Amino acid sequence: MKLRCAVLDDFQGVALSSADWSPLDGRVDVRVLREHLTDRDALVAAVEDCEILVVMRERTPLDAGLLARLSRLRLIVTSGMRNASIDVTAARARGVVVCGTASGSEPPTELTWALILGLARQVHTESRAMREGGPWQSTVGLDLAGRVLGLVGLGKIGGRVARIGLAFGMDVVAWSPNLTDERAAEHGVRRAGSLHELLGAADVVSLHLVLSDRTRGLIGEPELAAMRPGAYLVNTSRAGLVDGAALLRALREGTIAGAGLDVYETEPLPADDPLRTLPNVLALPHLGYVTEANYGRYFGQAVEDIEAWLAGAPVRELG
């Protein structure tokens, strides 16, 4: 009997065309779920007959309670090598193998700059006016050359963002809990002595940290108050790095000039969420990793993960 595999949350309907799934022919029946199922009972009903699940980042949480209801499940493949919404310990306890895939740092870097440039030149405001017959020019853009770009985190993505900032002629300063002067110098940037020092100096603050107990809520009321009134906050990393209620207040009260956001505590973002309509927010539906090359990498390696598991030698297991 063939095994059953469900690919969850394939919003664009491209999972099967992004990779060659033929190596699984005759052994695995693959089906795709394009709609995000927030109702747990509906999700269980849709996949309870599956031995394999392929999931996209943190779109569908697989916690211990849900895993306990999926008695046939034996393999989970997630895009990327980190997925905080999968209870890997609970999966292992149930004999479920969890594997990941590679993920490029180029796509989120590029999207970060799409948000920075969009905010600086008020692209969302001017584009909306063009579509809706509004005024011809209503904003004055922010020059990036000579401005201060503050990077909270200087890893793979933060380092790439830094290089582009330097190419724009920006003064790039970085901070993270473990960043050293030497590491900052390797990227051609300055290390801020503290997070508050960076926030007070930057015209654009961009977040590039892993979400952990130490970094959750790192940007809260005091940190937002430390930012310049004309500064922008950009988050393409994880929503949990920022106190959402504090950010909403800062945006409504004009404590900061605006925000460019690609990540949210609840995804998809509810239709009535104020972040969708605030005029000083440039919001995108978590597109940071959504590119042709990355999807080819995700789904191509998902097929490899399934093949390896079928052969009894799983690869890229999550620890």
Side-chain angles (χ1 to χ4, degrees), residues 106-280:
E106 299 88 350
T109 299
E110 294 168 4
L111 193 85
T112 296
W113 276 101
L115 288 172
I116 293 174
L117 291 168
L119 287 167
R121 300 305 295 268
Q122 296 294 314
V123 170
H124 53 311
T125 299
E126 299 291 359
S127 176
R128 185 183 306 115
M130 289 287 286
R131 289 197 309 272
E132 298 174 357
W136 182 264
Q137 296 187 7
S138 63
T139 65
V140 177
L142 175 73
D143 298 276
L144 294 181
R147 300 285 184 167
V148 178
L149 171 62
L151 300 177
V152 182
L154 197 64
K156 287 183 180 179
I157 297 172
R160 286 181 176 274
V161 173
R163 289 199 293 276
I164 298 170
L166 293 170
F168 271 111
M170 300 187 77
D171 176 15
V172 183
V173 59
W175 177 89
S176 72
N178 300 314
L179 183 64
T180 63
D181 288 328
E182 293 74 21
R183 176 67 174 165
E186 289 176 8
H187 289 277
V189 308
R190 296 183 293 110
R191 182 183 71 87
S194 67
L195 174 59
H196 277 250
E197 179 184 317
L198 178 146
L199 295 172
D203 298 289
V204 178
V205 176
S206 189
L207 307 183
H208 302 285
L209 289 176
V210 173
L211 182 62
S212 66
D213 291 339
R214 183 169 61 164
T215 61
R216 183 174 293 279
L218 183 72
I219 306 297
E221 197 98 41
E223 290 74 26
L224 291 165
M227 291 177 62
R228 295 179 176 184
Y232 294 102
L233 178 70
V234 175
N235 190 4
T236 58
S237 185
R238 290 292 183 271
L241 296 172
V242 182
D243 180 331
L247 176 60
L248 195 57
R249 283 193 296 273
L251 291 167
R252 282 173 165 164
E253 296 171 7
T255 305
I256 61 175
L261 305 174
D262 191 44
V263 288
Y264 312 92
E265 285 288 3
T266 301
E267 296 186 6
L269 190 65
D272 60 350
D273 193 290
L275 290 176
R276 286 181 176 265
T277 56
L278 281 174
N280 55 351

Side-chain angles (χ1 to χ4, degrees), residues 11 59 261-264 267 283-290:
F11 296 150
R59 289 179 183 173
L261 305 174
D262 191 44
V263 288
Y264 312 92
E267 296 186 6
L284 296 174
H286 205 157
L287 296 176
Y289 55 88
V290 182

